Amino acid sequence: MKRYDYIIAGSGLAGLSLAYYINQSILRNKSILIIDKEAKTKNDRTWCFWEKGDNHAFDPIVFRSWKQVYFYGAKGFAKALDLGDYSYKWIRGIDFYNFVLTDLRTNPNITFLTATIERIRDTANGGFVITDEGQFMADYVFDSVTPLKLDNPQRHNMLQHFKGWEITTPQAAFDPSCPTMMDYRVEQNGVGVRFGYVLPIDTHRALVEYTLFSDKLLQPAEYDAELHTYIRDYLKIEDFSIEDEEFGVIPMTDEPADDKNLKYVIRIGTTGGYVKASTGYAFSRTQRSTQLLVGQLLTAGVPLRQKKTIRQFFKGLMDSTFLNVLLYGRHPGKNVFTRLYKRNPTPRLLAFLDEDTRLVDDLRIMSTVPLVAFTRGMIHALVKRI
């Protein structure tokens, strides 16, 4: 059985980001095995996020970037939002995979294995990985493949699920200078929230998505029907061709990572709590978390468990409250989001969603939500935990 310094289980966003930052440090001399069940050769997903400046690791592969975004909310509210110091960025999955894999393949200490992971165990001698291609040990296994249980009755579990079409039109139909980040004009149809999403490539081509925050998936044909309706009724496009499509499901959960009793297996990615519970955003949080992890390996030699602070507890409670409001239908989701974007400067709201605000800013933002619904949601969230 071969032993490595590190095994990275899963080569998605978290696994490849971690490998990339390791490869930019002196840790690149460690022996590393990266295991995934398939090669990353498809443009299978899209990452959109906001950040300040343009001196970041993955700026060379940003496909499109904008300084303002359209927002369509409830009761006719519509506005192009100025992002201030932020830019809204779009990275395509295939560009990310190619960029990172090209960098990693220059390092002879990194081995890639295409295999199905059957089991990951924490043992007295290190992390142990069983695959259909063999068994392997490591000082540490960074695990992004073990699914969250999503069954804790004391927590809140929803799904962000979406289908997108990259379409072309014979007539100019899109404004490439400004994407539509959220369009709540679509029919809501029950608990949760639904919205359209448009990322323009040029005047004739765009990625159009239909997104839901709910606790149940739709039937496959329903996503197609909703996309057709959105494109026809709201984008006013009758004639178009579908060039590509994507589908995804992201857990929105305040359930903590199940890793308290693990020493040599470190959960990362979705299973490590990298996805923000109340929004489903993952790209920026993944970059911060994997960079922090590499910093710990460099300075302490071991991954360190983060102690929960009062600040982190408060932010976690805000996420739980938001999920509670949506999950139990305490207030229409599109009205909540409309109030947030209508009553707050957009840069402050983006900083809040990025967990980069002071307590006073958090309180200002929370004062703009429906207070009765959120107070009830917060109380219920605390009772569920107790």
Side-chain angles (χ1 to χ4, degrees):
M1 185 190 319
K2 188 164 184 181
R3 187 179 182 102
Y4 294 84
D5 292 314
Y6 305 143
I7 293 176
I8 297 176
S11 61
L13 174 62
L16 288 182
S17 295
L18 177 62
Y20 178 82
Y21 294 121
I22 287 175
N23 204 41
Q24 303 305 304
S25 73
I26 60 173
L27 296 175
R28 70 189 321 273
N29 295 320
K30 298 284 188 179
S31 59
I32 302 167
L33 175 65
I34 301 176
I35 308 173
D36 200 285
K37 63 182 178 181
E38 60 184 19
K40 299 299 182 182
T41 59
K42 299 179 181 178
N43 188 37
D44 58 353
R45 64 196 60 224
T46 293
W47 290 294
C48 287
F49 56 98
W50 50 82
E51 62 185 358
K52 295 179 180 179
D54 55 4
N55 187 27
H56 304 279
F58 299 115
D59 277 337
I61 54 169
V62 169
F63 184 56
R64 292 291 187 274
S65 178
W66 300 277
K67 295 296 293 182
Q68 63 176 1
V69 296
Y70 285 124
F71 179 90
Y72 294 95
K75 300 178 181 179
F77 176 72
K79 187 177 182 181
L81 304 175
D82 184 358
L83 304 186
D85 293 336
Y86 288 93
S87 294
Y88 191 62
K89 300 180 180 182
W90 172 12
I91 289 181
R92 302 187 303 172
I94 191 62
D95 296 333
F96 176 80
Y97 301 143
N98 289 340
F99 179 83
V100 176
L101 290 173
T102 297
D103 179 76
L104 299 181
R105 286 175 179 140
T106 64
N107 187 347
N109 297 314
I110 298 177
T111 301
F112 294 90
L113 175 65
T114 302
T116 298
I117 296 172
E118 298 175 348
R119 190 175 181 185
I120 298 175
R121 292 179 52 198
D122 195 70
T123 76
N125 298 315
F128 180 45
V129 181
I130 302 173
T131 77
D132 58 357
E133 295 292 333
Q135 302 177 0
F136 308 92
M137 290 286 296
D139 293 348
Y140 292 102
V141 173
F142 301 99
D143 172 18
S144 68
V145 300
T146 299
L148 291 167
K149 293 181 180 179
L150 302 178
D151 60 358
N152 187 339
Q154 295 176 305
R155 298 291 178 162
H156 303 82
N157 293 299
M158 297 185 73
L159 301 170
Q160 178 186 149
H161 44 119
F162 54 87
K163 186 166 187 179
W165 289 338
E166 188 173 310
I167 65 172
T168 56
T169 61
Q171 305 296 325
F174 305 107
D175 177 3
S177 69
C178 191
T180 298
M181 187 169 73
M182 290 179 175
D183 188 343
Y184 291 104
R185 293 176 295 174
V186 301
E187 292 296 326
Q188 295 301 297
N189 298 325
V191 174
V193 65
R194 305 180 181 210
F195 58 92
Y197 193 92
V198 183
L199 299 178
I201 299 172
D202 55 42
T203 55
H204 293 264
R205 192 179 187 107
L207 175 64
V208 181
E209 291 198 348
Y210 181 76
T211 301
L212 304 89
F213 297 171
S214 68
D215 60 346
K216 294 182 178 63
L217 300 181
L218 303 182
Q219 293 298 317
E222 292 181 82
Y223 295 99
D224 292 345
E226 294 291 356
L227 271 168
H228 271 292
T229 299
Y230 179 62
I231 292 170
R232 181 193 65 222
D233 294 350
Y234 297 100
L235 302 186
K236 306 300 181 183
I237 298 172
E238 296 282 351
D239 186 11
F240 64 90
S241 300
I242 301 172
E243 307 298 335
D244 202 358
E245 67 175 45
E246 67 175 25
F247 177 79
V249 181
I250 301 171
M252 297 174 64
T253 177
D254 57 0
E255 193 167 314
D258 184 20
D259 61 356
K260 289 183 179 179
N261 299 318
L262 302 177
K263 184 175 181 180
Y264 301 111
V265 174
I266 310 300
R267 298 276 167 78
I268 63 173
T270 301
T271 192
Y274 288 9
V275 177
K276 185 166 178 61
S278 58
T279 64
Y281 282 107
F283 192 88
S284 295
R285 283 169 62 98
T286 297
Q287 303 316 308
R288 291 194 297 270
S289 297
T290 50
Q291 286 177 299
L292 176 63
L293 187 51
V294 171
Q296 293 171 348
L297 293 171
L298 285 168
T299 56
V302 298
L304 301 175
R305 303 291 182 188
Q306 296 298 301
K307 295 181 179 180
K308 292 292 184 180
T309 64
I310 294 177
R311 184 87 172 112
Q312 290 171 323
F313 173 81
F314 177 76
K315 288 186 177 294
L317 181 59
M318 291 301 98
D319 279 335
S320 296
T321 301
F322 201 94
L323 289 175
N324 190 283
V325 170
L326 293 181
L327 191 60
Y328 292 95
R330 300 186 187 280
H331 197 87
K334 73 173 185 179
N335 291 351
V336 174
F337 281 101
T338 299
R339 288 174 64 139
L340 284 170
Y341 280 92
K342 187 176 183 179
R343 301 184 181 188
N344 293 283
T346 305
R348 180 194 296 164
L349 186 57
L350 296 183
F352 173 75
L353 295 174
D354 231 8
E355 300 181 338
D356 189 30
T357 47
R358 301 168 299 165
L359 179 59
V360 64
D361 294 319
D362 295 345
L363 295 175
R364 286 174 181 167
I365 288 170
M366 294 311 298
S367 71
T368 64
V369 301
L371 293 180
V372 173
F374 272 71
T375 299
R376 290 174 176 170
M378 180 180 292
I379 293 171
H380 190 204
L382 288 170
V383 169
K384 281 166 69 75
R385 295 190 187 189
I386 295 172

